[in-house]
Amino acid sequence: MKNVKIICIIMLLLTLVGCNTLILSNDQISNYINDKNQISSSLGETCKVFPDDIPTSAKNVNYYFEYTQGLLDPEIQFFLEYTLSEEEYYVELNRIKSIKCNQPIKCDERKYIYPAYVAMENYDGGFEYVLIDEVNYRFIYIFLKFFSNTSRMHFDLSYLPKKLNYTNSAEFSIY
């Protein structure tokens, strides 16, 4: 009888640990501001690399947001990609380069498919960066929090760091 109770308790714990509840998922660009605010209200000061709004002149816009509440922490996937005119591209690039909170944003030209401006790298289970496609005047903004299931990612996996590792001790955050 004692073994049955132990097995039931173990099964219950395993069930609870694996429980995730999808709170919000959408690809509607009209929800961009609300989705960005959802992340900020849930986690505090984040998403500085993402623009406050999307320029009306932006072309080739791709967007996806997913917020799943896990037992302990949320899993978040936030993705935005668009192309600008040359003039608007340089305005946005200068905004990104000037981002600073507790420390300046860092530029990384080795770990990503394009040069990246990184606000958070493996910090408390999170990544926040923007990839810069200089040839096509394109920005690719990515925010991930405890989101390691690549089969559920709604963007090209080549946009991830070359060695995505949530357990790596190398951490960085501007926050």
Side-chain angles (χ1 to χ4, degrees):
M1 184 69 167
K2 186 176 181 179
N3 288 343
V4 172
K5 286 182 183 179
I6 292 172
I7 290 171
C8 288
I9 291 171
I10 290 172
M11 289 175 58
L12 177 63
L13 288 174
L14 289 174
T15 302
L16 289 175
V17 169
C19 285
N20 284 341
T21 304
L22 182 63
I23 306 292
L24 186 58
S25 170
N26 74 69
D27 59 0
Q28 301 301 311
I29 197 67
S30 60
N31 292 325
Y32 172 74
I33 299 297
N34 290 335
D35 295 342
K36 184 178 177 198
N37 290 339
Q38 169 77 25
I39 294 172
S40 295
S41 66
S42 296
L43 302 175
E45 187 176 21
T46 54
C47 297
K48 293 281 188 199
V49 298
F50 284 77
D52 289 334
D53 50 44
I54 299 165
T56 55
S57 61
K59 295 183 176 25
N60 306 315
V61 178
N62 292 308
Y63 175 73
Y64 186 76
F65 174 72
E66 182 177 311
Y67 185 99
T68 304
Q69 183 58 56
L71 183 63
L72 300 175
D73 294 302
E75 291 180 357
I76 301 170
Q77 174 183 187
F78 191 40
F79 166 76
L80 173 65
E81 172 183 23
Y82 59 72
T83 303
L84 295 174
S85 69
E86 182 177 1
E87 182 181 322
E88 290 173 307
Y89 168 84
Y90 285 108
V91 169
E92 175 63 0
L93 183 59
N94 287 332
R95 181 196 70 82
I96 292 166
K97 287 179 177 182
S98 68
I99 294 171
K100 182 178 180 180
C101 290
N102 292 332
Q103 59 184 320
I105 196 164
K106 75 174 182 179
C107 182
D108 188 326
E109 296 184 357
R110 295 184 336 220
K111 293 182 193 168
Y112 300 86
I113 190 169
Y114 297 109
Y117 283 88
V118 181
M120 196 166 50
E121 185 172 61
N122 198 34
Y123 183 78
D124 193 26
F127 290 81
E128 180 185 350
Y129 55 93
V130 56
L131 301 173
I132 311 295
D133 178 356
E134 301 163 312
V135 174
N136 298 303
Y137 305 121
R138 181 171 57 142
F139 295 96
I140 304 160
Y141 305 86
I142 295 177
F143 178 89
L144 299 170
K145 186 74 167 178
F146 297 115
F147 205 100
S148 58
N149 186 346
T150 56
S151 67
R152 287 183 27 229
M153 291 186 180
H154 286 257
F155 55 84
D156 187 330
L157 297 181
S158 69
Y159 297 163
L160 292 171
K162 291 178 182 167
K163 293 183 180 179
L164 178 65
N165 184 354
Y166 283 96
T167 59
N168 186 342
S169 63
E171 296 181 348
F172 171 78
S173 175
I174 64 171
Y175 303 110

